[in-house]
Amino acid sequence: MDLTPLIEVTRAARRFDPRHYLPFHVAARQVGWVAPRLAERLEPMAEVFLVGDFGVALHPDLVEPQARTEALDRAVETLAAEGWIVGVRHERYAIRERFDAAPLFAIERAAARPFGLTTFAAHVNGLTRRADGAVEMWIARRSPTKPIDPGMLDNLVGGGIAAGHTVTQTVVRECFEEAGILEPLARKAQPAGLVRLLREVPEGVQSEVIFVHDLWLPPDLSPRNTDGEVSEFHRVEFRSLPRRIVDGDPFTLDSALVILDCLIRHGVIGPDDQGYEALVAGLREAPR
Amino acid sequence: MDLTPLIEVTRAARRFDPRHYLPFHVAARQVGWVAPRLAERLEPMAEVFLVGDFGVALHPDLVEPQARTEALDRAVETLAAEGWIVGVRHERYAIRERFDAAPLFAIERAAARPFGLTTFAAHVNGLTRRADGAVEMWIARRSPTKPIDPGMLDNLVGGGIAAGHTVTQTVVRECFEEAGILEPLARKAQPAGLVRLLREVPEGVQSEVIFVHDLWLPPDLSPRNTDGEVSEFHRVEFRSLPRRIVDGDPFTLDSALVILDCLIRHGVIGPDDQGYEALVAGLREAPR
């Protein structure tokens, strides 16, 4: 198998030019990226942001996470009213250098991309073994009304990790909401590593860490969406996925990476395939 | 689980300072690293090597892989006689930029580290599921007479990929030689990605790509060494491995990385453990 078109998928997840953005600092740590146009708008909000040659910084007087969160809340409200931030959901992400570090602040999730903040998500590959031994993967089609990637193909389950939630809690909640999978089965979702994205998107920069999981479903179980975010599920042969990602109905970039990682871990794509090392490197190397 | 001591293991696999070495170029591509002392010895071998401010290069008149291989053979013979290269085995590695690129030349495997050349290996995690559902991993103890890492703990199977061999061929051959596993079962070893090392070693630089595999063995099968390279095999609980890698009998660094990758893929170590992101990054990021 020639893996070149799949390597191209991993490149799309790293399409980012730091020269297009200003670094965004909080407490002397770079936590994100801001487009120059937005930085200009932030400059007069001098009680919240410092804008200078160094980039954009949260005002150093905001030392406590709570104070930062409140100041950013007010700024986000203004920016949303002016159209700089769209799709406010009144759900917060905790922002931190690493997932296991203390949160620096929390922020409305719709603000993550405009500020290029790293967010964390949990995705689940739904796998089933057929009677003949072949493995199939459950694929979701996103609802045509979703604000991001409507109608595109997706993993069985995937969702952002809200402030104060663990990875496991997120998997359990999303398994129920998105696929009607109850907690005892959802807890069998096996963590299997992570994939990362850093890319320019219309709203700003998507910087994301996705904790990937595999969940083996009994052959007679069919996922059933409960929150209206998925329009249908279907099951496809594991071995058909490399071709489908390249030629079939479009997958979200996030789910394409999660599936590629799964295909590599399960040997559907292997070291005797042309481009294997480059594919693994493209999927796993640091985005920055 | 606090993953800090395991992160330290991944750091050991990246302990490399390019300032200690001169780059080694072949056909305008950097393929390795040479210690300054060895570069000095190469300088008078002017029909094979150019030594200058740029580092060390194979003589540009050597354009064909065959000519390069023959010239290096003669150089290696001289260097081995003088003690610059030890443990000559009369087996060759093909040297290439990526595993699937055309070989630039082949060279005696004992010369790989003195020239800091990237070599390729295939390792196999031997896994068994006990009657009670718990997973165990087969661990090999290297023969006390092996030139490298004698007596240390190792994967079920692991070996360098010789010139002209595929990954699958290497797995099949090594499964038989090292563990007495016959071809039909060995072919079930499932490729699951790769791990890389770039580190300073007494002989020079170890730059290695290890294609990792999982092989599920029937519970009643016990591996049996046939080539004298393994002194014993034993089976240990999957969940005990993080502690064993840190506190138990020493594992080779190669096998410790391969096992860590396996523990991450199978969720023995997960995203709710402290240090997970740093561990995965340490294991997977580009060594250079």
Side-chain angles (χ1 to χ4, degrees):
Chain A
M1 193 185 331
D2 175 11
L3 305 176
T4 308
L6 297 174
I7 295 167
E8 203 38 60
V9 172
T10 68
R11 290 217 181 100
R14 300 280 188 274
R15 207 153 279 146
F16 175 74
D17 186 339
R19 291 169 302 182
H20 297 170
Y21 299 90
L22 299 170
F24 177 44
H25 291 91
V26 174
R29 296 178 186 88
Q30 195 202 331
V31 297
W33 299 95
V34 175
R37 266 170 14 102
L38 175 57
E40 237 172 75
R41 172 64 193 92
L42 301 180
E43 203 162 359
M45 301 170 123
E47 70 293 359
V48 187
F49 300 103
L50 297 180
V51 181
D53 287 344
F54 58 88
V56 179
L58 201 62
H59 199 293
D61 286 353
L62 299 164
V63 283
E64 292 299 321
Q66 182 64 22
R68 293 174 187 147
T69 300
E70 288 168 10
L72 283 165
D73 264 359
R74 291 188 297 271
V76 166
E77 205 176 320
T78 305
L79 295 169
E82 295 173 7
W84 292 95
I85 294 170
V86 295
V88 169
R89 296 167 67 154
H90 303 291
E91 277 177 40
R92 277 184 182 151
Y93 281 144
I95 304 303
R96 32 200 167 189
E97 284 191 286
R98 293 263 191 202
F99 185 65
D100 49 17
L104 297 165
F105 57 89
I107 194 166
E108 159 61 34
R109 54 187 285 176
R113 291 179 175 196
F115 285 95
L117 301 165
T118 300
T119 58
F120 299 89
H123 281 226
V124 180
N125 295 299
L127 303 172
T128 297
R129 194 175 297 279
R130 279 197 324 229
D132 67 1
V135 173
E136 294 183 325
M137 182 183 267
W138 282 99
I139 300 295
R141 188 179 296 278
R142 295 165 71 88
S143 156
T145 63
K146 280 209 98 162
I148 293 178
D149 297 337
M152 289 177 82
L153 300 181
D154 206 340
N155 298 122
L156 173 69
V157 165
I161 301 174
H165 287 239
T166 67
V167 176
T168 304
Q169 286 166 347
T170 305
V171 165
V172 167
R173 191 197 60 216
E174 297 283 339
C175 271
F176 180 71
E177 290 180 4
E178 297 198 347
I181 293 169
L182 301 179
E183 177 160 350
L185 180 55
R187 285 197 171 272
K188 294 191 175 159
Q190 183 178 275
L194 56 86
V195 298
R196 291 179 293 187
L197 295 94
L198 181 70
R199 61 165 180 152
E200 304 183 16
V201 289
E203 316 90 282
V205 176
Q206 178 186 16
S207 173
E208 190 159 23
V209 174
I210 304 176
F211 296 108
V212 305
H213 301 73
D214 289 349
L215 176 59
W216 289 88
L217 299 178
D220 56 348
L221 185 146
S222 287
R224 204 168 37 84
N225 181 249
T226 69
D227 66 359
E229 298 200 354
V230 176
S231 64
E232 56 166 345
F233 290 100
H234 61 289
R235 233 158 71 169
V236 305
E237 264 208 90
F238 216 22
R239 304 202 161 267
S240 74
L241 280 160
R243 195 175 31 75
R244 282 172 191 267
I245 289 172
V246 174
D247 288 332
D249 275 11
F251 283 82
T252 69
L253 185 54
D254 304 30
S255 70
L257 296 182
V258 171
I259 294 170
L260 283 178
D261 173 78
C262 187
L263 297 173
I264 288 166
R265 286 186 291 102
H266 290 273
V268 175
I269 295 168
D272 293 333
D273 290 317
Q274 185 70 23
Y276 186 70
E277 246 184 295
L279 179 68
V280 175
L283 193 65
R284 295 185 167 175
E285 277 177 11
R288 291 192 190 175
Chain B
M1 193 186 330
D2 175 11
L3 305 175
T4 309
L6 296 173
I7 295 168
E8 203 39 58
V9 172
T10 67
R11 290 218 180 99
R14 301 283 187 274
R15 207 153 281 146
F16 176 74
D17 186 339
R19 291 170 301 183
H20 297 169
Y21 298 90
L22 300 170
F24 177 45
H25 290 90
V26 174
R29 297 178 185 89
Q30 195 201 331
V31 297
W33 299 95
V34 175
R37 265 169 15 102
L38 175 57
E40 237 172 77
R41 172 64 193 91
L42 300 179
E43 202 161 359
M45 301 168 123
E47 71 292 359
V48 188
F49 301 103
L50 298 180
V51 180
D53 288 343
F54 59 87
V56 178
L58 201 63
H59 199 293
D61 285 354
L62 299 165
V63 285
E64 292 299 321
Q66 183 64 23
R68 293 174 188 148
T69 300
E70 286 166 11
L72 282 166
D73 264 357
R74 290 188 297 273
V76 165
E77 203 175 323
T78 304
L79 294 168
E82 296 173 6
W84 291 96
I85 294 170
V86 295
V88 168
R89 297 165 67 157
H90 304 290
E91 277 177 41
R92 277 184 181 151
Y93 282 142
I95 303 304
R96 31 199 168 191
E97 283 191 287
R98 295 263 192 201
F99 185 65
D100 49 18
L104 297 165
F105 57 90
I107 193 167
E108 159 61 31
R109 53 187 285 176
R113 291 178 174 197
F115 284 96
L117 301 165
T118 300
T119 58
F120 300 89
H123 281 226
V124 180
N125 295 298
L127 302 172
T128 297
R129 195 176 296 279
R130 280 196 324 228
D132 66 3
V135 173
E136 295 184 323
M137 182 183 269
W138 283 99
I139 301 295
R141 188 180 295 279
R142 295 166 70 86
S143 157
T145 62
K146 281 210 97 162
I148 292 179
D149 297 338
M152 289 177 81
L153 299 182
D154 207 340
N155 298 122
L156 174 69
V157 165
I161 301 174
H165 288 240
T166 67
V167 177
T168 304
Q169 286 166 347
T170 305
V171 166
V172 167
R173 192 198 59 214
E174 297 282 340
C175 271
F176 180 71
E177 290 181 2
E178 297 198 346
I181 293 169
L182 301 179
E183 177 159 351
L185 180 54
R187 286 199 169 270
K188 294 190 174 160
Q190 183 178 275
L194 56 86
V195 298
R196 293 178 293 187
L197 296 94
L198 182 71
R199 62 164 179 152
E200 304 183 15
V201 289
E203 316 90 282
V205 176
Q206 178 186 14
S207 173
E208 191 158 21
V209 174
I210 304 176
F211 296 109
V212 305
H213 300 73
D214 289 347
L215 177 58
W216 289 88
L217 299 178
D220 57 347
L221 184 146
S222 288
R224 205 167 37 85
N225 179 249
T226 67
D227 66 358
E229 298 201 352
V230 176
S231 65
E232 55 166 346
F233 291 100
H234 61 290
R235 231 158 74 169
V236 304
E237 264 208 86
F238 215 23
R239 303 202 162 265
S240 74
L241 280 161
R243 195 175 31 76
R244 283 172 192 268
I245 288 172
V246 174
D247 288 332
D249 275 11
F251 283 82
T252 68
L253 184 54
D254 304 29
S255 70
L257 296 181
V258 171
I259 294 170
L260 283 177
D261 173 78
C262 187
L263 297 173
I264 288 166
R265 286 187 289 103
H266 291 274
V268 175
I269 295 167
D272 293 332
D273 291 317
Q274 184 70 23
Y276 186 71
E277 245 183 296
L279 179 68
V280 175
L283 193 65
R284 294 184 168 178
E285 278 177 9
R288 290 189 192 177

